[in-house]
Amino acid sequence: MHYQKINYPDNDKVWLECYIQDSGLKLGQDLVRPALVICPGGGYVYLSPREAEPVALAYAAKGIQAFVLHYSLGWEVKGFQPLKEMDWAIGLIREHANDWYVDADKILACGFSAGGHLALSSGLLGKNRPNGLILGYPATDMSGQGSELMQMLFFGKEGPAKEEKIWLNPVQAVTKDAPPLFMFTTAEDTLTRRSTLDLVMAYEEKGCLLEYHLFQKGPHGYSLANEACADGSSQVIDPHVEKWLDLSVEWIFSVFGQLEFRDISTSHIMDAIKELGIPLPQEATGKGIENA
């Protein structure tokens, strides 16, 4: 794996972190893998580190190329600037698909809380749209109670124009062409439980591909629900909720295609020995060494 940080054009406050696995470990594929653009949450005023690198590394361990978008925050959100940055990130990954061993037709947006709102908006309103969505306890509707802050951030004023209101509630933009969706939250998360159900119903009414998990227990913002992202709080650790990651990976491969394995040895020991110029007896070149 190698790591890259790529700044958004003319704004070094916005960047894309790239966790790219090379083609050496193929996991059944010749070169390319699915990819995720991860959008951490934080109410568009900060980015939660628990929903950034730990999530990227967890998906990378499953053989998926992972990217984390550090998008605009605070007053720089105006005009829904983060959506433009998602367009840039997805376009950049597609442009470099061959270099980064990415399947350009298997790029998904993954978001948590406000990052889930951004990921969903990318799938429904973006110019470079992802092929699928993974949303964790997403704040899909920001037009209800307490929306004054979001209106000020998005529009610089309260009372947005009619055509702008969809930015606060992109659920209204669900059509029959909406990207496949995997979504999860908990019954105890009063911030997102009802709005996620609205999104489920919108997908159901349009006949769109959807998998939805409503876990019983867990607060808002639990990320991976394990020690890797607990940040010192045992409240966000739950082995049952933690299963969402494996479920999402199974879903990715069931929707976008399984890996194809070939029954050949993957050992390179004999190649290394030959390069060193070490002579071996004939009997030592058998399957025992090749498959070591």
Side-chain angles (χ1 to χ4, degrees), residues 1 5-6 10 16 46 78 85-86 106-108 115-116 126-127 131 141 159 183 195 221 230 254 259-260 263 285 290:
M1 175 186 290
K5 176 183 175 182
I6 302 175
D10 302 320
L16 185 69
Y46 91 110
K78 187 176 180 180
E85 294 155 3
M86 274 294 287
K106 299 179 182 179
I107 299 175
L108 294 86
K127 293 181 179 179
N131 303 103
D141 184 0
M183 182 168 57
S195 60
S254 69
L259 301 179
E260 296 182 4
D263 293 327
T285 61
E290 289 180 353

Side-chain angles (χ1 to χ4, degrees), residues 4 6-9 11 13-19 36-41 44 46-48 51-53 56 66-73 80-93 108-112 115 118-119 122:
Q4 285 183 249
I6 302 175
N7 287 337
Y8 184 73
N11 185 354
K13 294 181 180 179
V14 174
W15 66 89
L16 185 69
E17 287 187 302
C18 313
Y19 299 81
L36 284 183
V37 182
I38 299 164
C39 304
Y44 285 109
Y46 91 110
L47 291 185
S48 170
E51 296 161 350
E53 183 176 84
F67 302 82
V68 178
L69 179 63
H70 293 252
Y71 51 88
S72 290
L73 302 170
F80 208 176
Q81 177 62 27
L83 182 57
K84 300 172 187 176
E85 294 155 3
M86 274 294 287
D87 286 335
W88 165 77
I90 294 173
L92 187 68
I93 295 169
L108 294 86
C110 171
F112 302 86
L118 176 56
S122 175

Side-chain angles (χ1 to χ4, degrees), residues 147-153 155-161 164:
S147 68
E148 293 83 4
L149 172 60
M150 290 299 107
Q151 291 185 40
M152 290 298 296
L153 294 181
F155 315 113
K157 60 182 180 181
E158 292 187 35
E164 295 175 326

Side-chain angles (χ1 to χ4, degrees), residues 220-277:
H220 185 74
Y222 47 81
S223 187
L224 296 173
N226 61 23
E227 292 84 352
C229 59
D231 197 21
S233 174
S234 61
Q235 295 180 357
V236 297
I237 299 176
D238 190 316
H240 181 59
V241 177
E242 183 184 6
K243 295 175 182 177
W244 76 259
L245 178 73
D246 286 336
L247 291 170
S248 72
V249 173
E250 291 175 6
W251 178 84
I252 289 173
F253 291 122
S254 69
V255 172
F256 295 98
Q258 297 289 341
L259 301 179
E260 296 182 4
F261 289 87
R262 297 167 293 167
D263 293 327
I264 61 174
S265 171
T266 59
S267 174
H268 300 287
I269 291 178
M270 294 306 299
D271 293 335
I273 291 175
K274 291 177 181 177
E275 287 181 8
L276 291 171

Side-chain angles (χ1 to χ4, degrees), residues 1-2 19-33 63-65 97-103 262 264 266 268:
M1 175 186 290
H2 70 273
Y19 299 81
I20 302 168
Q21 303 169 79
D22 64 26
S23 61
L25 186 61
K26 297 176 182 178
L27 296 179
Q29 300 184 104
D30 285 334
L31 286 175
V32 297
R33 308 168 187 265
I64 296 171
Q65 305 290 32
N98 290 335
D99 299 330
W100 294 344
Y101 312 108
V102 167
D103 189 326
R262 297 167 293 167
I264 61 174
T266 59
H268 300 287

